[in-house]
Amino acid sequence: MKIGIDVSLAVGEKAGVGHYSWELVNGLGEIDHENEYILYPLFYNIRDPKFKSLPIVGEGNFHMQHTEHSAQQALDLWNDTSVVKKDLLGRVDILHATTVCAPRDHYGKLVSTAYDVSFMTHPQYHTEANRAVCLKGTLDSALYADKIVAISEHTKEDIKKYFNVSDDRITVIYLAPGRNFKPIEDRTLVQRMRETYRLEKEYILMVGSIEPRKNHRGLLQAYRAMPEAIQNRYDLVFTGGTGWLNTDIYNLVRELHLEDRVRFLGYVPDQHLPLLYNGATLFVFPSFYEGFGLPVAEAMACGTPVITSNVSSLPEIVGDSDLLVDPGNVRDLLDKLVRLLEDESLRGEVGRKGIERAEKFSVRKTAEKTLALYRELAP
């Protein structure tokens, strides 16, 4: 069987989708040495000129498409409107689109991964352009995909509800943190990371693009309301891409006079992120909506105690926890922050439980379930 997988967002500064697609192909490379895989670093509208930086995975049965061309030649082919895109992808038995894109014209059976429908449930947190792209991609998946991979049970129910997709066309396959997300025993590595980012004080960490849905505003307000002694001890550290509709977040930092206590690190390289989790006193993720919430699973895998929201998929990820918060209730978030920061033994207990819970989500499990889906669709 020949399987084609879109890895176009795994190029360069990877966000959630890029991490998912790259961990998936690495997992498949470890368990499947029989099927042939074609990886697409260029896929329809995702055309990063640095695509040749992606390494080859697997043991000879994985091939990167377009390596026979120079980068410019490959981009010219994809930008040429007269070129039939399915012929650029080539003949495959299974085509897996991972970037909210479900091409109508393709070879083989089509699998499309759906992440969330926040563009429907929370349109105010998106730009019009982003809503249009997500709506078209998800609608095309609902219409044309042979199977839709939903990254959580919550996403599956939302796809059924908003796009009228039958239950049997959707398979739930969880995301998973990479294997490098784990407790780091060598604290000198963590200390070097802190020196790299000039993190002199203990810190509270949040990971995610700076956009309204992630609720940086609520966390900033809760942090500012904490007792002065706690604020003096802990900085608040944000890491992630710039996102969109975020000007008011930076303005709020100034309005609350938190310039000396809040750090925006921007995009952090993959090798540094586990160290940042390991160095944090706690991890906070008060999002209004998530299809999965990969940073939560990453933090748990590192043993970092987690506070997150009681909405959408997040309770599904963390399991039973009395540290779930109402993301719209700043007081609730404040109380749980103070409680956890003031109780070291509780932090230790929450961290240990998180490590155990994170074992539910592994790259190998994601790869095995995805391979089983490919085999189900095999001609």
Side-chain angles (χ1 to χ4, degrees):
M1 182 166 56
K2 184 181 286 189
I3 301 162
I5 303 178
D6 165 18
V7 293
S8 58
L9 282 179
V11 180
E13 297 184 358
K14 296 190 288 294
V17 175
H19 282 291
Y20 157 69
S21 60
W22 196 242
E23 292 295 347
L24 172 62
V25 298
N26 276 277
L28 289 166
E30 292 179 2
I31 66 171
D32 187 2
H33 309 303
E34 298 177 3
N35 294 301
E36 182 182 359
Y37 288 86
I38 308 298
L39 306 182
Y40 305 119
L42 303 173
F43 197 82
Y44 289 85
N45 293 325
I46 313 297
R47 304 171 188 175
D48 192 315
K50 300 185 293 294
F51 75 91
K52 282 184 174 287
S53 64
L54 284 175
I56 294 293
V57 301
E59 296 186 1
N61 58 327
F62 282 70
H63 310 283
M64 198 73 70
Q65 190 75 310
H66 304 307
T67 53
E68 72 277 16
H69 303 294
S70 71
Q72 191 56 55
Q73 287 172 332
L75 287 167
D76 289 343
L77 280 171
W78 272 96
N79 291 327
D80 188 341
T81 56
S82 68
V83 174
V84 179
K85 298 301 183 282
K86 74 173 184 179
D87 290 329
L88 285 181
L89 299 177
R91 293 184 178 275
V92 293
D93 300 301
I94 307 290
L95 177 64
H96 189 166
T98 66
T99 49
V100 196
C101 171
R104 301 184 192 186
D105 193 21
H106 58 85
Y107 294 108
K109 298 287 188 178
L110 178 63
V111 175
S112 178
T113 299
Y115 300 94
D116 65 67
V117 299
S118 60
F119 56 92
M120 301 283 289
T121 61
H122 298 79
Q124 69 273 27
Y125 298 149
H126 291 265
T127 64
E128 284 300 316
N130 188 52
R131 284 187 63 206
V133 168
C134 293
L135 177 59
K136 182 183 186 306
T138 309
L139 182 59
D140 284 348
S141 295
L143 292 173
Y144 308 117
D146 294 282
K147 284 283 188 177
I148 295 174
V149 172
I151 61 173
S152 66
E153 293 290 346
H154 186 272
T155 291
K156 176 179 179 177
E157 293 306 312
D158 275 355
I159 295 293
K160 289 165 60 177
K161 176 181 178 181
Y162 288 95
F163 291 90
N164 196 31
V165 178
S166 61
D167 189 270
D168 63 330
R169 287 183 58 215
I170 308 174
T171 299
V172 174
I173 303 177
Y174 287 123
L175 305 188
R179 292 180 177 84
N180 54 333
F181 292 93
K182 58 187 177 182
I184 296 174
E185 302 299 331
D186 186 351
R187 302 307 291 181
T188 60
L189 296 175
V190 177
Q191 182 57 34
R192 287 177 197 155
M193 175 277 303
R194 294 182 66 158
E195 292 170 358
T196 297
Y197 292 99
R198 299 180 182 177
L199 300 174
E200 298 172 359
K201 295 163 61 176
E202 297 179 81
Y203 61 92
I204 302 162
L205 179 66
M206 180 177 174
V207 174
S209 56
I210 314 298
E211 58 180 274
R213 175 165 60 97
K214 304 297 183 180
N215 197 21
H216 294 77
R217 168 175 286 274
L219 179 52
L220 284 167
Q221 292 171 331
Y223 175 80
R224 189 66 183 93
M226 291 194 304
E228 194 73 15
I230 297 181
Q231 289 185 56
N232 288 336
R233 181 174 178 181
Y234 299 99
D235 280 345
L236 180 57
V237 175
F238 295 122
T239 178
T242 53
W244 51 80
L245 302 177
N246 51 32
T247 302
D248 66 324
I249 297 302
Y250 303 112
N251 290 339
L252 182 60
V253 172
R254 290 188 288 271
E255 291 169 13
L256 297 176
H257 306 291
L258 292 173
E259 295 94 329
D260 295 334
R261 296 176 175 175
V262 174
R263 300 283 307 280
F264 292 94
L265 302 186
Y267 176 80
V268 171
D270 292 350
Q271 65 269 28
H272 290 178
L273 196 51
L275 294 164
L276 277 170
Y277 282 120
N278 271 268
T281 301
L282 62 87
F283 176 77
V284 188
F285 197 72
S287 179
F288 287 109
Y289 179 103
E290 293 294 323
F292 181 83
L294 185 58
V296 171
E298 291 172 343
M300 291 193 304
C302 291
T304 308
V306 170
I307 295 174
T308 192
S309 302
N310 60 5
V311 299
S312 63
S313 64
L314 293 165
E316 191 178 335
I317 308 309
V318 300
D320 294 332
S321 172
D322 60 357
L323 292 171
L324 291 169
V325 301
D326 175 355
N329 187 333
V330 173
R331 182 71 204 191
D332 187 23
L333 178 54
L334 168 62
D335 289 345
K336 292 191 169 67
L337 279 168
V338 171
R339 176 186 171 197
L340 201 52
L341 288 169
E342 290 185 335
D343 192 335
E344 185 175 357
S345 64
L346 178 60
R347 293 200 302 272
E349 178 186 350
V350 173
R352 288 189 294 273
K353 287 182 177 179
I355 292 173
E356 294 173 3
R357 179 70 182 179
E359 293 176 359
K360 179 180 175 68
F361 314 104
S362 74
V363 171
R364 187 177 185 88
K365 289 178 182 177
T366 299
E368 288 173 344
K369 291 181 179 179
T370 305
L371 180 57
L373 178 61
Y374 296 158
R375 287 170 172 161
E376 178 185 337
L377 291 172

